[in-house]
Amino acid sequence: ITPVRALSTEVLMEMRCELTMQIIGDTPNGHRRIYHITGGTVKGPRIVGEVLAGGSDSFLVRTDGTGFLDVRVTVKTDDDSLIYVTYRGVLHHTTTLEGRLMAGETVRWDEYYFRTVSFFETATEKYDYLNHTMAIGVGEADFAGVSYSVYRVL
């Protein structure tokens, strides 16, 4: 099948979130963890700044190893603008990879599936384009946090 409508993207930013973990445990819905965002960075062609402490990443892992993210963060740009970022995602890896990550081992991003979809809110005119942007990301997790390559869908 040849698609009728093309999809293209442009690099929006590299984002890093530092995390601490709170384990809720095995619930009727799956294994629940809450990651508290303690800081981070963003850097892209049109946006540079920091991820402010206080955000959260609600993470639920099903028995098949598929994890679902529901994240809320605030970015403060280098020109003091605030951008509210929400994203949902899917992280799927085996229990072997999970054990490696939890042991602090570096596991390359291409060894598992970690994708996100992001939306943005800001009151700053310079970043207004983000208010009508959907972005997709490719994630990589390590014991201290997560990193994303984020692409604006055009």
Side-chain angles (χ1 to χ4, degrees):
I1 296 176
T2 302
V4 176
R5 290 157 291 282
L7 177 69
S8 57
T9 62
E10 67 181 11
V11 172
L12 183 61
M13 65 182 156
E14 287 290 319
M15 183 167 87
R16 170 74 183 173
C17 294
E18 302 295 332
L19 307 170
T20 61
M21 181 173 46
Q22 179 182 68
I23 298 175
I24 304 300
D26 295 325
T27 74
N29 293 323
H31 185 79
R32 173 73 66 188
R33 300 180 205 148
I34 306 297
Y35 291 95
H36 300 283
I37 297 170
T38 59
T41 58
V42 297
K43 184 175 183 181
R46 297 168 62 184
I47 181 172
V48 175
E50 64 180 312
V51 175
L52 297 179
S56 70
D57 177 348
S58 177
F59 187 62
L60 181 68
V61 182
R62 296 188 318 206
T63 56
D64 69 354
T66 303
F68 294 94
L69 299 84
D70 186 358
V71 181
R72 308 285 187 265
V73 301
T74 302
V75 169
K76 182 178 180 182
T77 64
D78 60 354
D79 57 4
D80 291 326
S81 296
L82 295 177
I83 302 168
Y84 180 60
V85 184
T86 62
Y87 58 94
R88 296 185 63 97
V90 175
L91 191 163
H92 181 77
H93 52 71
T94 65
T95 54
T96 302
L97 286 175
E98 170 81 4
R100 289 170 57 197
L101 282 169
M102 296 305 284
E105 183 179 335
T106 299
V107 180
R108 288 191 351 252
W109 68 272
D110 56 356
E111 292 186 61
Y112 52 96
Y113 187 86
F114 187 0
R115 305 294 186 269
T116 63
V117 60
S118 303
F119 296 92
F120 309 87
E121 292 179 45
T122 185
T124 304
E125 186 175 333
K126 177 179 179 180
Y127 301 105
D128 180 66
Y129 70 96
L130 292 172
N131 288 321
H132 51 270
T133 289
M134 183 178 81
I136 53 176
V138 178
E140 180 175 15
D142 59 57
F143 193 71
V146 290
S147 299
Y148 303 97
S149 296
V150 183
Y151 303 86
R152 181 177 182 218
V153 178
L154 302 175

